Amino acid sequence: MRNPFRRSGSPYERRRITPEGETLENVGGRRPFLRIVIPAIIGIIILLFIVSASVKIVDAGYRGVLLKFGAVDTSVALNEGIHFVTPFRDSVVQMEVRTQKTVENAASASKDLQDVTTQVALNYRINPNSAQVVYQQLGFEYGNRVIAPAIQESVKQVTARFNAEELITMRETVKNQIEQQIKARLAPYNILVDTISITEFQFSDQFRKAVEAKVEAQQRALQAQNDLRRIEIEAQQNEAKAVGEQKANVARAEGVRQSNVLQAEGESQAIKIIDQQLRTSPTYLEWLKTQRWDGKLPLVTGGGGSAGTTPFIQIPSGQSTQGNQSVLTSK
């Protein structure tokens, strides 16, 4: 062990040293600094801990439930953002108030005692102003405690009011009634219903086969009605076509008859005019023969052998007016 007294220059001085060879005066000089720094560091740590314990942040889409020594403060729900609370006494639990979704399958019976399995999708959310009450009464398991039973019971009550066929044909009415039932059941628990959707109706195999057979029968009956209607229309078309053809034939016959009558009347009138001219003017016959001669001499002429004999020409006479006959005249 080293002697604590040593000679330092002249005269002798008494000095205390540590086992490591440092003087006790140097060591004593550090103690005031450490006595200040260490408590300051400890104080800062304690202050930071207190500050962190007094500042609470509520995330977006949530509400804060304030707990005082574990008891729920039902008077307030903390909004999104930063909040200052009493440290070591208060704590904050966050409850989600955004729209959430749950899907439930509910087995029930229809009015005509058909087994029905209904799949319901529910969109819901917690009332933001009552998040602390929901936490106090139900905690975080409110979905299993109240929502699922409400869906099951509502679906059973509503489906029992309709036949199996009506559940399909009146789907919108069924959905609205189920939604009203669920809203009424969840309202006392401060849970709001946004929308519900019936994603599927499932029936027994026997019922599905019966529905398919009924649909096929209806389709066959509809097809038979369409065929009958088509036959009736085709018959009406054929009848209309026959009537049209008959009317056309009658019209054509009438036209031919009228044409013949007009032609006969014209010929009769012409004969009358010629006959009248023959009676009043004998020279008219000579003029008429010259008008109708085609310029060719006949091979045979009448008796008398006159070189100037006029060829035979058919000239209507008074007798042709009565009998429509032609006579041959010669000069």
Side-chain angles (χ1 to χ4, degrees), residues 230-250:
R230 178 179 55 79
I231 294 173
E232 291 177 352
I233 292 175
E234 291 178 353
Q236 292 175 358
Q237 291 176 345
N238 294 331
E239 180 180 359
K241 183 178 180 181
V243 171
E245 292 178 352
Q246 181 180 5
K247 290 181 178 180
N249 294 331
V250 171

Side-chain angles (χ1 to χ4, degrees), residues 16-237:
R16 292 179 299 174
I17 60 175
T18 62
E20 291 78 9
E22 296 181 358
T23 61
L24 293 178
E25 289 77 2
N26 294 335
V27 175
R30 295 180 181 179
R31 287 181 178 177
F33 176 76
L34 295 177
R35 289 174 183 176
I36 296 174
V37 172
I38 292 176
I41 294 175
I42 295 175
I44 293 173
I45 294 174
I46 294 174
L47 180 62
L48 291 175
F49 181 75
I50 293 174
V51 171
S52 64
S54 62
V55 176
K56 301 295 181 182
I57 299 176
V58 178
D59 298 331
Y62 289 80
R63 290 294 183 272
V65 179
L66 182 62
L67 303 179
K68 297 180 179 180
F69 292 117
V72 178
D73 184 0
T74 58
S75 63
V76 63
L78 303 180
N79 294 326
E80 304 169 356
I82 299 177
H83 299 273
F84 295 94
V85 299
T86 302
F88 309 113
R89 186 198 72 174
D90 298 343
S91 60
V92 176
V93 176
Q94 298 193 53
M95 294 286 289
E96 187 175 6
V97 295
R98 290 177 294 194
T99 299
Q100 303 179 64
K101 177 184 177 181
T102 182
V103 179
E104 292 289 333
N105 291 320
S108 59
S110 62
K111 187 176 180 180
D112 53 353
L113 302 180
Q114 294 291 336
D115 294 332
V116 184
T117 301
T118 308
Q119 188 176 76
V120 178
L122 174 65
N123 292 332
Y124 68 93
R125 55 190 172 89
I126 296 175
N127 187 345
N129 299 324
S130 303
Q132 69 278 13
V133 178
V134 175
Y135 179 78
Q136 183 186 44
Q137 296 179 350
L138 303 174
F140 291 105
E141 297 296 326
Y142 53 85
N144 294 329
R145 292 178 179 178
V146 296
I147 295 179
I151 294 175
Q152 295 283 343
E153 187 62 25
S154 299
V155 170
K156 290 179 180 180
Q157 287 185 1
V158 174
T159 54
R161 302 172 187 171
F162 299 88
N163 295 329
E165 184 176 354
E166 293 174 343
L167 292 175
I168 301 175
T169 58
M170 303 176 62
R171 188 186 188 97
E172 188 66 23
T173 302
V174 175
K175 182 186 80 68
N176 292 336
Q177 293 190 14
I178 292 176
E179 183 175 0
Q180 293 174 1
Q181 288 283 339
I182 295 176
K183 285 182 177 180
R185 288 180 175 274
L186 296 182
Y189 299 101
N190 298 295
I191 297 176
L192 307 178
V193 175
D194 291 335
T195 57
I196 73 164
S197 301
I198 300 178
T199 56
E200 187 177 4
F201 274 130
Q202 292 183 353
F203 300 93
S204 62
D205 294 338
Q206 183 178 2
F207 176 76
R208 286 199 297 268
K209 292 179 180 178
V211 172
E212 291 176 358
K214 181 179 179 180
V215 172
E216 291 178 358
Q218 291 176 348
Q219 291 177 347
R220 288 194 297 268
L222 181 60
Q223 184 178 0
Q225 292 178 358
N226 293 334
D227 292 341
L228 179 60
R229 180 60 179 167
R230 178 179 55 79
I231 294 173
E232 291 177 352
I233 292 175
E234 291 178 353
Q236 292 175 358
Q237 291 176 345

Side-chain angles (χ1 to χ4, degrees), residues 261-309:
V261 170
L262 293 175
Q263 183 178 1
E265 290 178 353
E267 292 178 353
S268 175
Q269 186 67 24
I271 292 172
K272 288 180 180 180
I273 293 173
I274 294 173
D275 184 67
Q276 183 67 27
Q277 290 294 330
L278 290 175
R279 293 177 182 274
T280 58
S281 178
T283 59
Y284 175 71
L285 180 59
E286 295 296 331
W287 177 84
L288 185 59
K289 288 192 291 182
T290 59
Q291 292 295 321
R292 295 199 176 185
W293 182 41
D294 57 2
K296 298 179 180 180
L297 294 176
L299 299 177
V300 179
T301 59
S306 175
T309 302

